[in-house]
Amino acid sequence: MKIDIPNWLIIAGGCGQIFTALVYPYIRHKVFDWYTDVKQLKPLNQEIAKTYGRYIQGLNFSFGLIAIIITDDLKNGTNLAIAITALIAAYWVGKVATQIAYYPMYDIPKKFIFKWGGYGMNLLFVLFAVVYSLLLIQNIMS
């Protein structure tokens, strides 16, 4: 079985990852009122939480840029392509698994835009997990 992920799908995934990075501050602030919760932590823990939030945002943006700028290199079957696609696939598969395991316990605000936005974001996360997992398999098999 030969897998060939089209470049347009990788680029679309890259654009989606950049979108998630750009919308992340809005979601933290407007949807989840995250900063109010963070203010209840000790000062060091506040900074740690904010730093990890920036890491997530930076990784999403960086993975998107990689997908858009070096699309062909992500598909060439080299050890580096395998390593990068494995990293990105593991990141998004882990994100989806976390969403399924932990997030249903929490209430998302009931506004129409937040409800449908949540569905849209979850679909994007699944898309990223599937695309990069298939890309990893493609690289391993080449």
Side-chain angles (χ1 to χ4, degrees):
M1 175 176 92
K2 176 136 172 67
I3 298 173
D4 187 22
I5 306 297
N7 284 2
W8 68 264
L9 185 56
I10 298 167
I11 292 169
C15 292
Q17 290 174 101
I18 289 173
F19 170 77
T20 64
L22 295 176
V23 77
Y24 188 68
Y26 174 82
I27 292 170
R28 278 190 313 214
H29 181 65
K30 296 290 185 183
V31 178
F32 295 114
D33 194 22
W34 187 74
Y35 291 101
T36 300
D37 294 338
V38 169
K39 286 179 186 174
Q40 296 176 20
L41 300 172
K42 294 176 185 175
L44 177 60
N45 290 336
Q46 288 180 26
E47 293 308 314
I48 291 169
K50 291 175 190 175
T51 299
Y52 284 128
R54 289 183 204 108
Y55 286 156
I56 291 167
Q57 191 175 4
L59 282 172
N60 292 359
F61 192 85
S62 298
F63 291 160
L65 278 181
I66 290 168
I68 293 168
I69 294 172
I70 58 170
T71 308
D72 288 329
D73 293 329
L74 285 177
K75 298 172 59 169
N76 65 15
T78 63
N79 288 335
L80 184 57
I82 291 169
I84 295 293
T85 55
L87 170 67
I88 300 172
Y91 178 87
W92 288 111
V93 167
K95 171 64 174 160
V96 170
T98 301
Q99 290 279 124
I100 292 167
Y102 296 108
Y103 290 6
M105 294 183 286
Y106 302 101
D107 284 331
I108 293 178
K110 304 294 186 224
K111 283 186 179 178
F112 178 81
I113 191 168
F114 298 150
K115 179 180 177 182
W116 287 99
Y119 294 146
M121 292 300 282
N122 286 331
L123 283 173
L124 278 177
F125 300 153
V126 169
L127 171 73
F128 304 152
V130 168
V131 167
Y132 283 100
S133 295
L134 289 174
L135 197 51
L136 172 61
I137 293 167
Q138 175 182 321
N139 278 318
I140 291 170
M141 292 175 61
S142 65

